[in-house]
Amino acid sequence: MKRIVTSVIFFSLFFCLGVSGQVGVDYDLKKPDKYDNRTLGYEKTATTKWTTSRALLQNTITHYNFYFNTNNKLSEVLVRAKGQFREDYTQLLPFYNYSLETTAKDKRNLDSVLEKINAAILLHDLRNSWNDNLYILMGRAYFYKNNLDSAHILFQFVNYAYAPRDVDGYALPIGSNQEEGSNAFTISTDEKRNIAKKVFSLPPSRNESFIWLIRTYFQQEKLTKGAVLIEILKQDPNFPARLKPALHEMQALYFYKIKQWDSAAFHLSLALDNTIDQGEEARWEFLTAQLYERSGHPSEAKTWYEKAASNTLDPALAVYARLNAIRDNTGNGSKNDYIQKNLNALMRMARKEIYEPYLDVIYYVAAEMELERHDKKATRAYFKKCIEHANGLGYNRDRAFLKLGWIFMEDKMYPEAKYAYDSVNVSNPMIADSLKILVDRKLALSRIVPQILIIQRQDSLQRIADMPPSERDAYIRKMLRAYRRQQGLAEEDNSGGSGGYGFKSNSVVPDMFNNPNGAGDWYFYNQSVKAKGYNDFKSRWGNRPNVDNWEVQTLINKQVTGLTPASNLRLNGAEPTVTTPAAAVLTASELLDAVPLTPEKMKKSRDSVENAFFALGKSLQEYIPDYRSALKVYDTLQAKFPDSRFYQESLYNQYYCYIHLDDSLNAARILALMKQKFPSGRYITLIENPPKGPADLPARTQATLAYENVYEHFIEGHFDQAAGEKLKLDSVFGEKYWTPQLLYIEALYYIHYRYDSAGKATLNKIITRFPGTVMSFKAKNVLRVLNERERIEKYLSNLHVTRMPEDSIARVANAVAQQKPEDSLNAKSKAMSAQNINRDSTQISIKKPDAGQLKAQSLFVSPFIWSPDKPQNVVMVMTNVDPVYVTESKNAFDRYNRENFYGKNYEVTKQSLTDSTKLMVMQGFENASAALAYLNKAGNAAGREIIPWLPEKKYFFIIIDDQNLEILKANKDVQLYKKFLSVYSPDKFPTGK
């Protein structure tokens, strides 16, 4: 009886399937001649009756022979792409953990999917229930091939071909309300289906085509079209509940792209049901936390970080999630209390064995927390622990050394900074963004540190020379014993015997395993003998670790870590003298030989110190520049050596240091002192009567005007015209009147279009013809990178194809300092006390408007709103500047921000306002005062230091909040906004500037 009932239900279900077929589309296919007489399955659609048996056969074969296999193959393509993707948990995660550039490289499998789908459609009846699903698979295959136009056509085809129809089979107008018979407006397909279709087929794919169509729009950067379709589907009563998570995913993607982080986080949290496994869900939970963190909601961020840490199976994600949760655990206490609470939690993590592979990350984050509360001693200790646990490799080691160098530079501990920067692995491509800062600072320190070491060394030797002979001899013997201990030798050299004439001593070497007193205690039971043996061992071997091959292993560790020994640092070019080979065994007489005990040696030592003081002051002034430290050095030089031959020039340098510090009072004092001491000195003449122009000034002026025209054509992107004009001018003026700026932008043009040989030749001209200039240093850096272009491009092109072993964990860290979310950083900055505000981030107060200004504001009408307390952007507006130089300007400001605002999160992006007006937007300022403080420093340095090759008439700066920026991008009226600024902030943005 049970078998009969089961059979009746089974055939009833398939009878329901057979009553109607799926609406499809007719094809007019041109077949090859040899197959012209053969009838394909799709051609039988119009001539064959759609029976239950035919429906069963066609649906089963299409499903299991074609749809099942192609869907699996497409899923495998996606799995391989995700396997090659490397996450960087120190930065905002990409929305998806794969890229279309990677999936498109799996061309063979994607082409196989397309061929199999074509075969499935053409070899079977078009009325079967799987055709729409096959078209969606075909659209997805084109999408993963990054063939977005074809994908768009396929998804639109499913939308139109499988749209709802009336009782007579005619398609209803899409978006009509006829289907409901009421006022309901819908574009979706109603998925009310009988139980047979729910069991034996997938839901109609037309509704899914809307989701994929939105995603295709977003991939094509057609954000408005995608957003409109999202709003329509949100209001559609027929849109199925099963696709609501996918719709939330598209909404989250839209807000992610336009950087509305809080809205993106909200919708992403509602899209978690659309993930395919636990790992994907944990990743999106981590991204949700990052988005909440960026929008200034640390409590929500902490909650989602904890969810991600508890759900993930990836230890790397778990570590970073817990670290970020600790950082966002602000609590209700004081700043120091919550930092200490978080540090305690970090140390608990460090003690757990599961986190041992990530100790370098833990200690790095701990160092950043200590840096946040300005405890530099603890910061240095944690950075050193990070370096120790990085095993000499990895990005965190180099980041720790970079930040240690930054701390030492800020504290003016220049030898320690040199040690830190010299320890950075410059070939690590992950620190490429910081390479410019590193090279510049190493260049400066290579000139500063040797002078400091000369002064320290000679000062020590002079103090030893001033000691009484008995005290000096005792001090030398003490140094010699310490040296011998360091070398693993006995503290006293007794090998000579008999007064040192070379006779061997007849003393018997004691047997430490036999008690000389005749006692019966064995060596290891006699504590005094055991202690003596320990001391003898240390004096002979030093601190030898209890491992095999310890000497070889020590050398290997030094080679791997790349650390510079302290002895090398002390003697690293301190004095420009020819070094002599070290003696096999150092003696007291050799140590004394370096001490200036004779008048001639003392004079030479003092001359070395005098030269070093002047060279140090000049290096601090020119290479850092650290004008205040340079002033102190010059003061010390003048005090120690009142008759110095550098006295007059040091006063001249002090004068210009005060000029750079805007200290006109002290500058006048120094000038008066120079007139008093050197009334006829040449440096007074240089100050009061600067040298006039050269004799060929008229010709030079004519050439300058002509080349400025060429210069402007280069900047505007009229390269062919500029090159032709420059060739004509060169035939008239030769190379005499070329400027380094013109050569630099010409080199950038060559490099952009990959004329590398011409670019290198032009850069070398700048270096040889204009040595010591800002443009010369820029040319050297560009030339160095250009020489490495092939290696870097080869590395980057091969990086994504290296698939990691399945049992390994990719630990990736960022090239620049660990970024903190902008809004979270702003909240912390507001909580800082006045005495803790960094001197570079001093905010400029905005004056309250007076009566006249209030009247002008009331009469001024514009769509913009003055909100100085809202987060602001600093925008560089460029007019008629080619994209090549817009990109170079962005890179220049990126470098400047990393070097001068280390640890700040200033995100620089390029935007196009019109065809001729480009915007470079810098985000990350908590209010107008902070933006003006940045503009006061960076704006003044732009033409002199950051972008000296770009004419000042080609750009200007404004501050603007996000709301006004969107209004500006809509109305494109820059002049109106400039007038708006001049009305609301006339002291900072006066009219006409």
Side-chain angles (χ1 to χ4, degrees):
M1 182 67 184
K2 184 177 179 180
R3 182 179 299 175
I4 296 173
V5 172
T6 303
S7 301
V8 170
I9 294 174
F10 180 79
F11 284 110
S12 299
L13 292 177
F14 277 102
F15 177 77
C16 295
L17 282 175
V19 296
S20 62
Q22 190 181 60
V23 177
V25 65
D26 295 329
Y27 290 95
D28 184 14
L29 182 69
K30 177 65 177 175
K31 293 184 289 186
D33 294 338
K34 60 187 295 185
Y35 299 107
D36 193 42
N37 294 328
R38 297 182 59 178
T39 303
L40 297 178
Y42 83 94
E43 295 176 298
K44 300 177 181 178
T45 300
T47 60
T48 308
K49 188 176 180 181
W50 185 247
T51 62
T52 301
S53 59
R54 182 170 178 80
L56 175 62
L57 179 64
Q58 293 287 319
N59 286 335
T60 302
I61 294 175
T62 305
H63 181 194
Y64 293 105
N65 276 13
F66 290 90
Y67 178 84
F68 179 81
N69 292 327
T70 52
N71 188 47
N72 282 353
K73 182 168 284 191
L74 205 58
S75 299
E76 290 170 2
V77 169
L78 207 55
V79 169
R80 280 191 291 270
K82 291 177 180 178
Q84 296 178 31
F85 190 81
R86 299 182 66 185
E87 300 281 14
D88 184 356
Y89 296 111
T90 63
Q91 297 188 16
L92 181 67
L93 294 183
F95 197 85
Y96 294 105
N97 56 344
Y98 63 91
S99 68
L100 296 189
E101 289 74 16
T102 305
T103 56
K105 292 182 178 180
D106 205 347
K107 184 175 181 299
R108 183 173 62 86
N109 286 302
L110 291 174
D111 288 343
S112 172
V113 168
L114 293 172
E115 290 175 4
K116 201 168 186 68
I117 292 174
N118 275 317
I121 293 172
L122 297 176
L123 295 178
H124 299 96
D125 198 303
L126 298 179
R127 292 168 291 185
N128 77 69
S129 301
W130 294 93
N131 270 10
D132 58 336
N133 307 112
L134 291 171
Y135 284 124
I136 288 293
L137 281 184
M138 182 181 288
R140 288 176 57 196
Y142 278 119
F143 183 85
Y144 293 141
K145 285 185 72 174
N146 208 10
N147 192 341
L148 301 178
D149 290 336
S150 298
H152 177 268
I153 292 171
L154 260 297
F155 297 138
Q156 282 283 36
F157 169 77
V158 174
N159 177 20
Y160 288 110
Y162 295 92
R165 299 174 181 268
D166 60 16
V167 292
D168 297 323
Y170 293 101
L172 294 172
I174 293 178
S176 73
N177 55 14
Q178 297 180 33
E179 185 180 0
E180 292 290 325
S182 64
N183 292 325
F185 181 88
T186 180
I187 63 170
S188 303
T189 299
D190 188 3
E191 293 189 356
K192 295 176 182 177
R193 303 179 300 149
N194 58 49
I195 189 171
K197 289 191 175 182
K198 287 183 179 180
V199 173
F200 294 100
S201 66
L202 293 178
S205 292
R206 180 172 175 270
N207 293 326
E208 294 177 32
S209 72
F210 293 125
I211 300 296
W212 282 99
L213 195 58
I214 294 169
R215 190 169 171 192
T216 305
Y217 282 139
F218 288 163
Q219 193 67 31
Q220 293 174 319
E221 297 300 329
K222 298 177 180 178
L223 301 183
T224 304
K225 288 187 176 182
V228 169
L229 190 50
I230 286 174
E231 289 301 317
I232 293 173
L233 294 176
K234 282 169 60 179
Q235 308 300 326
D236 194 326
N238 282 344
F239 191 73
R242 68 180 181 87
L243 292 179
K244 288 294 177 64
L247 187 60
H248 282 297
E249 177 184 335
M250 292 301 102
Q251 288 177 273
L253 179 59
Y254 171 72
F255 289 118
Y256 181 93
K257 283 183 169 291
I258 65 173
K259 299 183 180 180
Q260 289 190 12
W261 308 122
D262 50 352
S263 299
F266 172 75
H267 288 287
L268 188 60
S269 66
L270 298 177
L272 294 177
D273 291 340
N274 208 38
T275 54
I276 59 175
D277 56 35
Q278 185 177 347
E280 297 277 336
E281 183 178 357
R283 182 185 181 275
W284 269 2
E285 287 172 342
F286 188 91
L287 178 56
T288 302
Q290 287 185 312
L291 295 172
Y292 273 126
E293 193 174 33
R294 287 208 163 201
S295 61
H297 297 88
S299 58
E300 289 86 347
K302 174 179 175 292
T303 301
W304 284 100
Y305 278 132
E306 290 172 345
K307 287 183 180 180
S310 60
N311 289 340
T312 186
L313 302 176
D314 180 3
L317 190 149
V319 166
Y320 283 102
R322 293 194 183 280
L323 291 178
N324 293 342
I326 290 170
R327 185 183 63 209
D328 287 324
N329 184 21
T330 57
N332 297 320
S334 66
K335 181 177 180 179
N336 281 340
D337 290 342
Y338 92 76
I339 288 180
Q340 189 58 52
K341 179 174 62 177
N342 293 341
L343 285 170
N344 294 339
L346 279 175
M347 294 307 104
R348 287 195 295 271
M349 289 177 64
R351 289 192 290 269
K352 294 182 180 179
E353 186 177 357
I354 188 174
Y355 297 119
E356 187 174 351
Y358 305 97
L359 285 176
D360 55 337
V361 180
I362 293 172
Y363 287 126
Y364 186 90
V365 175
E368 286 209 323
M369 288 185 176
E370 290 288 9
L371 188 60
E372 191 171 321
R373 63 177 180 181
H374 306 285
D375 188 346
K376 292 187 177 179
K377 182 179 179 181
T379 300
R380 291 195 292 265
Y382 280 126
F383 276 137
K384 288 176 182 177
K385 284 187 176 183
C386 168
I387 293 165
E388 291 171 5
H389 290 88
N391 299 319
L393 304 171
Y395 178 55
N396 282 325
R397 170 191 177 275
D398 292 325
R399 284 202 306 166
F401 272 124
L402 283 172
K403 282 212 168 180
L404 276 175
W406 170 69
I407 293 170
F408 288 135
M409 288 289 287
E410 192 176 60
D411 293 342
K412 306 187 190 311
M413 301 168 65
Y414 296 120
E416 291 81 358
K418 185 177 189 303
Y419 165 69
Y421 286 134
D422 285 345
S423 300
V424 176
N425 178 16
V426 295
S427 63
N428 185 352
M430 301 299 290
I431 64 162
D433 288 343
S434 303
L435 204 56
K436 168 68 168 55
I437 305 170
L438 180 64
V439 171
D440 289 347
R441 291 194 170 180
K442 287 181 71 173
L443 175 65
L445 292 170
S446 67
R447 285 158 171 77
I448 292 170
V449 173
Q451 310 309 323
I452 294 175
L453 297 179
I454 288 175
I455 294 169
Q456 291 175 349
R457 174 181 168 83
Q458 295 300 329
D459 183 64
S460 299
L461 292 174
Q462 290 174 20
R463 280 190 283 116
I464 294 173
D466 291 339
M467 291 178 179
S470 59
E471 187 178 339
R472 181 169 58 240
D473 292 341
Y475 183 76
I476 292 294
R477 285 195 299 271
K478 182 180 178 182
M479 288 181 60
L480 187 60
R481 284 196 298 270
Y483 171 78
R484 292 181 67 84
R485 279 198 304 271
Q486 186 181 3
Q487 299 299 317
L489 304 174
E491 292 189 8
E492 300 292 340
D493 186 5
N494 299 320
S495 60
S498 301
Y501 286 98
F503 296 106
K504 293 183 178 179
S505 173
N506 293 325
S507 60
V508 180
V509 178
D511 185 359
M512 65 180 182
F513 289 100
N514 291 323
N515 190 338
N517 298 325
D521 291 343
W522 188 43
Y523 169 78
F524 291 104
Y525 294 157
N526 190 320
Q527 295 300 322
S528 62
V529 178
K530 184 178 175 183
K532 182 177 181 301
Y534 175 76
N535 291 330
D536 290 342
F537 180 88
K538 282 199 69 174
S539 66
R540 176 68 181 89
W541 295 105
N543 292 321
R544 171 183 172 179
N546 188 21
V547 294
D548 294 332
N549 301 321
W550 65 278
E551 291 179 300
V552 176
Q553 188 60 43
T554 301
L555 294 174
I556 292 173
N557 291 341
K558 287 181 179 179
Q559 185 176 8
V560 171
T561 58
L563 299 179
T564 307
S567 59
N568 289 354
L569 180 64
R570 287 197 303 271
L571 304 176
N572 187 13
E575 293 168 299
T577 56
V578 180
T579 57
T580 57
V585 178
L586 195 63
T587 62
S589 61
E590 289 170 344
L591 286 175
L592 272 173
D593 189 54
V595 179
L597 297 176
T598 64
E600 293 79 9
K601 286 185 176 180
M602 181 61 73
K603 183 180 183 304
K604 186 177 179 181
S605 176
R606 286 179 59 81
D607 288 344
S608 297
V609 174
E610 181 184 356
N611 293 335
F613 267 118
F614 181 74
L616 175 60
K618 202 163 185 179
S619 299
L620 288 169
Q621 176 184 342
E622 294 178 353
Y623 287 98
I624 297 294
D626 184 356
Y627 297 117
R628 298 195 183 279
S629 296
L631 286 168
K632 291 179 182 178
V633 171
Y634 290 136
D635 285 338
T636 306
L637 171 66
Q638 294 159 12
K640 279 181 170 284
F641 304 95
D643 298 326
S644 172
R645 64 183 185 276
F646 301 115
Y647 202 107
Q648 184 180 0
E649 189 174 355
S650 67
L651 286 174
Y652 175 75
N653 290 342
Q654 279 186 305
Y655 173 83
Y656 275 106
C657 285
Y658 282 123
I659 291 295
H660 281 292
L661 292 171
D662 293 326
D663 190 347
S664 56
L665 189 63
N666 274 312
R669 178 181 61 83
I670 293 294
L671 182 57
L673 185 61
M674 291 176 68
K675 289 180 178 180
Q676 178 187 345
K677 288 183 173 290
F678 308 99
S680 58
R682 66 187 185 93
Y683 291 105
I684 296 177
T685 306
L686 288 174
I687 293 173
E688 295 183 339
N689 299 302
K692 297 180 180 179
D696 59 345
L697 186 59
R700 182 179 294 275
T701 303
Q702 182 185 357
T704 300
L705 293 174
Y707 276 111
E708 280 182 355
N709 195 33
V710 176
Y711 189 27
E712 191 161 327
H713 287 157
F714 264 119
I715 290 293
E716 293 177 357
H718 309 311
F719 298 119
D720 294 336
Q721 180 183 353
E725 290 177 356
K726 183 175 179 295
L727 193 61
K728 292 178 183 178
L729 292 174
D730 289 347
S731 65
V732 176
F733 297 106
E735 300 183 3
K736 189 175 180 181
Y737 303 110
W738 284 4
T739 64
Q741 289 85 358
L742 176 61
L743 292 173
Y744 185 78
I745 61 166
E746 185 182 7
L748 291 181
Y749 157 67
Y750 289 138
I751 293 167
H752 179 74
Y753 289 100
R754 307 192 74 85
Y755 303 139
D756 287 0
S757 57
K760 290 178 182 179
T762 308
L763 292 171
N764 281 317
K765 278 185 184 179
I766 301 174
I767 296 168
T768 55
R769 288 173 58 83
F770 306 97
T773 62
V774 175
M775 300 309 302
S776 174
F777 290 125
K778 287 183 177 290
K780 288 179 182 177
N781 289 327
V782 174
L783 185 61
R784 176 183 50 76
V785 175
L786 186 59
N787 289 330
E788 295 288 321
R789 171 188 266 191
E790 184 177 352
R791 183 185 66 81
I792 293 171
E793 289 181 346
K794 184 178 180 181
Y795 174 84
L796 293 175
S797 62
N798 294 334
L799 183 64
H800 60 279
V801 299
T802 305
R803 186 174 180 182
M804 300 185 64
E806 293 181 359
D807 59 347
S808 66
I809 300 171
R811 297 164 56 202
V812 184
N814 158 323
V816 225
Q818 178 170 343
Q819 293 187 3
K820 295 181 176 65
E822 297 170 4
D823 296 335
S824 176
L825 179 66
N826 293 337
K828 293 175 183 177
S829 298
K830 292 177 183 178
M832 293 174 69
S833 58
Q835 63 268 26
N836 288 337
I837 296 179
N838 186 283
R839 60 178 177 274
D840 287 337
S841 61
T842 302
Q843 297 190 356
I844 295 178
S845 61
I846 299 177
K847 295 180 181 179
K848 293 183 178 180
D850 54 23
Q853 191 176 341
L854 288 172
K855 182 178 179 181
Q857 292 175 6
S858 64
L859 296 175
F860 182 74
V861 179
S862 79
F864 304 108
I865 301 172
W866 179 244
S867 305
D869 294 330
K870 294 175 75 173
Q872 300 284 327
N873 309 305
V874 173
V875 179
M876 179 180 173
V877 183
M878 290 173 273
T879 307
N880 293 325
V881 177
D882 188 77
V884 173
Y885 306 115
V886 175
T887 301
E888 179 61 20
S889 299
K890 173 188 176 298
N891 295 337
F893 271 91
D894 273 333
R895 290 190 293 267
Y896 177 80
N897 291 341
R898 286 194 299 270
E899 182 174 353
N900 293 275
F901 301 94
Y902 206 91
K904 300 288 186 180
N905 185 29
Y906 296 148
E907 183 178 352
V908 185
T909 59
K910 299 180 299 180
Q911 298 184 24
S912 180
L913 190 64
T914 65
D915 292 340
S916 60
T917 305
K918 311 297 179 186
L919 305 180
M920 188 184 71
V921 183
M922 282 170 276
Q923 301 172 310
F925 305 96
E926 59 266 29
N927 51 41
S929 297
L932 288 172
Y934 174 87
L935 192 55
N936 189 49
K937 182 175 181 179
N940 292 331
R944 182 183 69 252
E945 178 183 350
I946 308 174
I947 47 173
W949 42 268
L950 187 62
E952 292 188 6
K953 65 180 181 180
K954 289 291 183 183
Y955 64 89
F956 60 88
F957 293 95
I958 59 174
I959 65 168
I960 189 169
D961 60 41
D962 290 338
Q963 181 179 353
N964 285 338
L965 181 59
E966 293 301 319
I967 296 172
L968 179 61
K969 288 194 289 188
N971 64 24
K972 306 184 187 305
D973 195 342
V974 179
Q975 296 305 318
L976 178 62
Y977 187 76
K978 286 180 69 177
K979 189 174 180 181
F980 165 78
L981 284 178
S982 68
V983 170
Y984 283 89
S985 184
D987 56 327
K988 306 301 179 185
F989 299 96
T991 305
K993 291 194 71 175

